[in-house]
Structures are given as structure tokens and as C-alpha cells.
Amino acid sequence: SVRRSRSSGSLIEQCLGAGQWCSEASVWLEGWLHAGRLRAEENAEVVVLDALLFAKAVATHKRCLHAAVCYSSLFADWLNAQALIEGSTDVHSMGLDEMQDFVARAFRGDDRPHS
């Protein structure tokens, strides 16, 4: 994958490591555009999720829809903070504790910044 450098605006190659994932923004953020290519240098597992079908399925369950909206807001805030640190990227490595906190807060309906 690639990321865009904050200082120069140029694209920089980036490798995914254990515990990282890519392209989650396309699920939660309307209009997300990928910049670059993803290729594997060795065997890898890929999970593909159709964002539109996912949204339609979630929309049929009131509690899941509310949690998805809250999670989306939390994710967008987190992604914006990450972009200030490392530039725009499709590659992420949120820690397990932080991810579990996001999910717990989303199902509580708490999309405010954690203090």
C-alpha cells in the first residue's frame, strides 16, 4: 500500500505487518479513494466486504445501525488524528484495546472523544 506524505504530498510505499489492516475507511467514510496498489509478497488472507451490502444489512437492525453510525464517527475522528501524524493512508494498526474500546463505546452510543 502507499501513503501520502504530509510534508511533500508524494506517495510513499508502505508494507503491512502482523496486526495491521487496510481499506477499512471505505466501509465507514463516503467517497474514500484508495491511492495505490496492494500486493502480497507471500501467501496472505484477504477478507472482502462489499460496503453497500454491509450498509443495507446493518440498516435493517436498529441497534446495529446506531452502533455502526457511532463507530463510523469514532473511526473518522481516529483516522483524522492518524493523518496528522503519519499522513493519509489505507494501512492501519489500531491496538486491540483501542479497537475494543471503540466497539464498546459504539454499542453504548457514545461517539464523543474518550477522556
Side-chain angles (χ1 to χ4, degrees):
S1 185
V2 297
R3 69 178 174 85
R4 187 166 301 280
S5 168
R6 282 188 52 225
S7 57
S8 69
S10 62
L11 297 178
I12 300 169
E13 185 173 330
Q14 211 173 356
C15 294
L16 271 84
Q20 290 185 300
W21 69 97
C22 65
S23 303
E24 182 176 357
S26 64
V27 175
W28 304 113
L29 305 175
E30 186 176 351
W32 179 264
L33 297 176
H34 299 287
R37 262 184 260 201
L38 180 66
R39 66 180 175 88
E41 293 183 356
E42 55 188 65
N43 288 337
E45 293 184 22
V46 176
V47 176
V48 177
L49 175 70
D50 183 309
L52 293 177
L53 291 177
F54 176 73
K56 286 180 183 179
V58 168
T60 65
H61 302 280
K62 186 177 179 180
R63 185 166 185 236
C64 287
L65 176 60
H66 182 70
V69 168
C70 288
Y71 182 90
S72 176
S73 176
L74 291 166
F75 182 80
D77 290 346
W78 177 83
L79 189 64
N80 286 333
Q82 294 302 304
L84 292 174
I85 297 167
E86 58 189 37
S88 297
T89 180
D90 283 341
V91 178
H92 308 294
S93 56
M94 180 188 299
L96 181 59
D97 289 341
E98 189 173 13
M99 184 180 292
Q100 288 174 332
D101 180 58
F102 271 32
V103 172
R105 290 169 56 201
F107 274 90
R108 282 194 317 260
D110 177 11
D111 62 349
R112 295 178 307 270
H114 192 76
S115 42

